Amino acid sequence: MHGNCGEYTPPQEARPDAGDTASDTEQQLDAAELIEKNGSIQTQNAAHLIHCLTIIGQVEGHYVLSSQNKTTKYEHIIPALVAIEQDSTIEGLLIILNTVGGDVEAGLAIAELIAGMQTPTVSLVVGGGHSIGVPLSVSARQSYIVPSASMTIHPVRMNGMMLGVPQSLSYIDRIQDRIIDFVTRNSRISEQAFRRLMTNTKELATDVGSVVSGEQAVEMGLIDRLGSLSDAIGALYAMIESEDT
């Protein structure tokens, strides 16, 4: 009995689907755009999926700053925080700060959102966490600062025209009280100690306030711990794993 003999076809290697390649390219472009616009990135090949958010330069509020300034735009940061909180795949948020301060209400709004997140959060101050950067630094569940970083604490300033009436000074006092209340609620520093730093007249040449080093910030209870990147990531991983348990 003779059977029909068909032509032998060697096995072919599986080729990547064109759709998969296009999808990977789109993901890479989205990640690059995320870094460029928001200064943020998600880690993929790690023990835990964490989102890294950077707050750098000057916090930009209701007014657009000069193109020469490095800015963090609050209209970018706020939606990003909402997305991170809703995304069940993101297990933690690492906030890296190197800021000179900026718009008080915009910075305080971002700080309040971070403080109200259920997603585990850790902040790391590198370079500087000045002015409104102080509330942003303490808004995370745990805060770290590198030894070479510094933090400037000073009273609220107003830019532009201001009416020279008692109501204007009262308004500034109320804003200042909101900042002091937030910082003392989210750190271990007392209100009296923070006000003393804010109203110090012996340290800054042409201003009122204080500049504290990383070690001093920890000693005062303003920042939780002295450490660097590996320490902050380790604390975030420990926080994630304790919640999983």
Side-chain angles (χ1 to χ4, degrees):
M1 182 179 294
H2 297 283
N4 294 328
C5 295
E7 183 180 353
Y8 173 72
T9 304
Q12 297 181 354
E13 293 183 2
R15 296 181 179 178
D17 185 55
D20 293 341
T21 305
S23 177
D24 292 342
T25 303
E26 287 177 2
Q27 288 180 0
Q28 291 173 1
L29 290 173
D30 289 343
E33 186 178 7
L34 191 68
I35 297 171
E36 182 180 356
K37 285 189 174 180
N38 300 343
S40 57
I41 189 171
Q42 291 180 20
T43 56
Q44 298 295 337
N45 300 317
H48 297 285
L49 179 62
I50 66 172
H51 188 102
C52 176
L53 182 70
T54 57
I55 298 177
I56 60 172
Q58 194 164 348
V59 178
E60 187 177 271
H62 305 301
Y63 299 97
V64 178
L65 297 175
S66 167
S67 60
Q68 302 300 316
N69 293 1
K70 281 283 187 182
T71 61
T72 296
K73 300 179 184 295
Y74 84 120
E75 68 268 26
H76 291 169
I77 299 297
I78 289 176
L81 292 174
V82 174
I84 293 164
E85 181 73 348
Q86 290 186 100
D87 193 338
S88 59
T89 62
I90 297 176
E91 298 175 85
L93 173 62
L94 176 65
I95 306 140
I96 298 181
L97 298 107
N98 185 10
T99 176
V100 295
D103 188 281
V104 171
E105 290 194 341
L108 199 55
I110 295 170
E112 286 283 10
L113 286 179
I114 295 171
M117 295 178 73
Q118 290 186 347
T119 303
T121 55
V122 171
S123 66
L124 173 64
V125 181
V126 293
H130 307 300
S131 191
I132 199 62
V134 175
L136 288 166
S137 303
V138 304
S139 61
R141 292 193 203 175
Q142 286 191 27
S143 56
Y144 281 80
I145 188 169
V146 298
S148 61
S150 63
M151 306 180 81
T152 304
I153 303 162
H154 61 73
V156 173
R157 303 187 185 101
M158 298 292 288
N159 293 328
M161 186 182 71
M162 184 178 69
L163 295 177
V165 293
Q167 290 88 337
S168 296
L169 298 177
S170 176
Y171 175 69
I172 294 173
D173 280 340
R174 290 199 300 271
I175 294 177
Q176 201 158 279
D177 289 341
R178 287 161 54 194
I179 293 171
I180 294 171
D181 178 64
F182 181 88
V183 171
T184 53
R185 276 192 290 111
N186 290 277
S187 69
R188 293 175 289 107
I189 195 168
S190 66
E191 179 181 340
Q192 293 77 13
F194 193 72
R195 284 188 182 275
R196 279 198 301 270
L197 292 171
M198 185 177 280
T199 57
N200 182 16
T201 59
K202 298 179 180 179
E203 191 162 331
L204 300 179
T206 59
D207 201 353
V208 177
S210 305
V211 179
V212 297
S213 66
E215 189 172 349
Q216 289 172 327
V218 175
E219 289 175 356
M220 295 171 179
L222 188 59
I223 298 295
D224 293 327
R225 291 179 177 85
L226 203 65
S228 190
L229 182 59
S230 59
D231 302 300
I233 292 177
L236 190 55
Y237 276 16
M239 204 181 298
I240 293 167
E241 289 163 6
S242 67
E243 290 199 354
D244 289 344
T245 303

